[in-house]
Amino acid sequence: MGERAEKARSLFMEGYNCSQSVLGAFADLYGLDMNTAMRLSDGLGGGMGRMRLTCGAVSAMAIVAGLELSSGSPKDSDNRTEVYAKVREMSEKFAEKNGYYAKGGSLGVGRSSTTAIVTTSILILMADLIVTQLMLY
């Protein structure tokens, strides 16, 4: 297991939700202190405020994709299209590996399954970030 995946797993085992665990594992790469990362992602847990919608791990993957790829400009529609495409790609990979990304999420499937889901999210992010870095250079 990679360093980021282990960090996410450790955070999850400490009691952080899936979204917090995934974002927390990457916070240092984007200049986010851990407290800010945990506060930003807290409401995404339990499928967005425990509404069992989009899995918090998937929501955090989208945040990390934005941090990695987005220009932050509202006028850069090409960049926004690129970010959206990457989020869709990662979400599809997540669904292939876990069987879902919404409608009930990981709630109720057990702690070990949720831990595996957090780990899967990190591995998808790491693979995509490596590919992105290779394409940029």
Side-chain angles (χ1 to χ4, degrees):
M1 186 180 312
E3 176 186 339
R4 300 287 167 186
E6 185 53 44
K7 174 74 173 177
R9 183 181 181 293
S10 174
L11 289 168
F12 183 75
M13 297 310 284
E14 286 178 39
Y16 291 102
N17 67 40
C18 294
S19 182
Q20 290 173 308
S21 299
V22 171
L23 185 58
F26 287 87
D28 63 310
L29 293 178
Y30 303 102
L32 287 172
D33 64 87
M34 192 59 77
N35 184 272
T36 299
M38 297 301 102
R39 290 171 55 215
L40 280 170
S41 54
D42 193 13
L44 299 173
M48 300 178 84
R50 208 177 261 305
M51 292 189 299
R52 296 181 177 213
L53 299 172
T54 302
C55 177
V58 174
S59 297
M61 286 192 324
I63 292 171
V64 173
L67 289 168
E68 180 67 21
L69 300 172
S70 178
S71 68
S73 171
K75 297 178 194 246
D76 193 349
S77 61
D78 289 340
N79 178 249
R80 180 168 286 163
T81 299
E82 176 189 357
V83 172
Y84 287 0
K86 180 56 70 177
V87 169
R88 280 192 308 274
E89 178 188 326
M90 290 189 305
S91 295
E92 289 166 7
K93 286 179 185 177
F94 182 92
E96 285 172 18
K97 290 184 183 291
N98 297 296
Y100 69 91
Y101 57 84
K103 303 290 184 192
S106 65
L107 291 176
V109 298
R111 191 163 188 83
S112 62
S113 295
T114 304
T115 301
I117 287 162
V118 169
T119 302
T120 299
S121 300
I122 294 295
L123 295 175
I124 290 168
L125 272 169
M126 288 171 39
D128 284 336
L129 291 174
I130 290 167
V131 169
T132 299
Q133 291 301 315
L134 290 173
M135 292 175 68
L136 292 175
Y137 295 102

